[in-house]
């Protein structure tokens, strides 16, 4: 069942520059405190959705051109929402719940922890402080970061697709590829991400097969309110 669902999802989303990776809710819940659990049975089928470098040209720009005369408040979020919501049309007989990466609960917590989901699904390795044996940072707060085996840090985790009525007790968990395998490189990665994230060097911690285009880099490095003019849009506010 999982393979049939995955095949249809890939057919709909991969041509747009997305990746989908299956996981069981139980894998995710098992590594988190109860406050962060997804409220589904452990065998529930879910998919984490990533955007790859090609999403900018394959999905975002066509979406903006099509929606140019409508009110757009965040082009990327609305593009992702449009395409992931469209998944429901290819599964008319299934309930599909969607959680987007930008959604938060009333207590300001994110609705899901994106990097944990990517890791348990085998999509990208979530490097954290605990992955460095000789911790040099003392009392400093150090955030972890996911690295994709093909795109390094040139990707984003966009959302979850959950199928509450599909249980997959026999789904086997794939291990994420440990592509930053040396202590030295892991230390460098976490330092680049925590102290120099704006220059993007952490994204190239491994040799990547594809990265963001110069146009895309400019877009994401521009303050959100100024990105609209780069796409030829007017910034609408309520």
């Amino acid at each position: 069942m999982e393979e049939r669902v995955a095949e249809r999802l890939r057919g709909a989303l991969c041509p747009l520059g997305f990746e989908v990776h299956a996981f069981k809710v139980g894998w995710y819940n098992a590594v988190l405190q109860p406050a962060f659990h997804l409220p589904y049975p452990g065998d529930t089928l879910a998919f984490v959705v990533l955007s790859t470098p090609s999403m900018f040209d394959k999905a975002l720009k066509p979406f903006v051109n099509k929606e140019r005369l409508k009110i757009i408040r965040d082009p990327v979020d609305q593009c992702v929402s449009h395409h992931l919501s469209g998944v429901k049309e290819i599964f008319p007989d299934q309930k599909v719940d969607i959680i987007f990466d930008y959604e938060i609960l009333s207590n300001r917590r994110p609705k899901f922890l994106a990097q944990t989901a990517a890791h348990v699904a085998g999509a990208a390795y979530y490097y954290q402080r605990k992955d460095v044996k000789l911790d040099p940072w003392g009392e400093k707060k150090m955030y972890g970061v996911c690295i994709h085996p093909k795109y390094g840090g040139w990707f984003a985790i966009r959302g979850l697709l959950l199928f509450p009525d599909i249980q997959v007790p026999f789904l086997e968990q794939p291990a994420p590829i440990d592509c930053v395998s040396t202590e030295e490189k892991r230390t460098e990665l976490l330092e680049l991400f925590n102290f120099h994230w704006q220059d993007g060097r952490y994204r190239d911690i491994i040799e990547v097969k594809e990265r963001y285009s110069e146009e895309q880099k400019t877009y994401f490095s521009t303050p959100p309110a100024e990105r609209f003019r780069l796409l030829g849009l007017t910034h609408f506010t309520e």
Side-chain angles (χ1 to χ4, degrees):
M1 184 65 173
E2 174 272 330
E3 267 306 317
R4 290 203 303 273
V5 175
E7 190 175 330
R8 288 163 78 179
L9 285 177
R10 292 188 189 110
L13 295 174
C14 290
L16 298 166
F18 294 101
E19 276 187 3
V20 292
H21 297 265
F23 69 99
K24 290 201 301 188
V25 165
W27 303 346
Y28 174 91
N29 288 348
V31 297
L32 293 171
Q33 296 295 322
F36 293 100
H37 285 185
L38 293 169
Y40 299 85
D43 287 336
T44 303
L45 177 62
F47 293 84
V48 62
V49 181
L50 315 181
S51 61
T52 73
S54 67
M55 188 276 283
F56 192 81
D57 285 322
K58 291 180 176 178
L60 180 64
K61 287 163 110 179
F63 172 79
V64 166
N65 287 333
K66 185 179 176 186
E67 305 294 314
R68 190 174 296 279
L69 298 180
K70 298 181 183 177
I71 293 176
I72 293 182
R73 291 180 176 81
D74 186 294
V76 173
D77 285 351
Q78 284 181 247
C79 171
V80 170
S81 174
H82 171 77
H83 289 299
L84 296 199
S85 298
V87 162
K88 293 184 177 185
E89 296 175 16
I90 62 173
F91 295 99
D93 300 324
Q94 291 290 347
K95 180 174 170 56
V96 184
D97 291 342
I98 305 171
I99 308 176
F100 297 103
D101 68 298
Y102 52 81
E103 291 187 281
I104 57 174
L105 298 166
S106 56
N107 60 10
R108 307 300 295 172
R109 277 186 179 149
K111 284 195 173 181
F112 78 101
L113 300 183
Q115 300 199 105
T116 299
H119 186 93
V120 300
Y125 200 107
Y126 185 22
Y127 291 96
Q128 302 176 72
R129 189 174 191 155
K130 66 183 181 183
D131 295 308
V132 175
K133 293 184 179 67
L134 300 174
D135 186 325
W137 300 297
E139 297 298 312
K140 289 179 183 172
K141 173 83 171 171
M142 299 294 288
Y143 294 95
V145 60
C146 272
I147 295 296
H148 189 286
K150 182 176 179 181
Y151 304 115
W154 300 101
F155 76 103
I157 303 157
R158 298 298 182 184
L160 300 183
L161 299 170
L162 298 117
F163 292 79
D165 299 328
I166 301 179
Q167 303 296 300
V168 284
F170 302 111
L171 187 64
E172 294 186 10
Q173 184 171 10
I177 296 173
D178 181 6
C179 50
V180 186
S181 55
T182 69
E183 178 89 355
E184 182 183 9
K185 275 292 185 184
R186 291 179 180 186
T187 303
E188 181 185 358
L189 169 64
L190 292 181
E191 291 195 342
L192 287 174
F193 181 69
N194 281 272
F195 309 135
H196 308 284
W197 66 269
Q198 287 175 302
D199 65 24
R201 282 182 290 156
Y202 79 89
R203 299 178 188 270
D204 286 311
I205 196 70
I206 62 169
E207 188 173 332
V208 300
K209 293 183 170 61
E210 190 180 352
R211 56 173 57 85
Y212 291 174
S213 63
E214 290 305 314
E215 179 186 18
Q216 192 170 176
K217 287 182 196 173
T218 299
Y219 179 83
F220 286 115
S221 64
T222 299
E226 297 171 27
R227 293 175 181 173
F228 291 83
R229 61 179 177 76
L230 298 178
L231 295 173
L233 295 171
T234 302
H235 183 197
F236 290 93
T237 57
E238 290 180 328

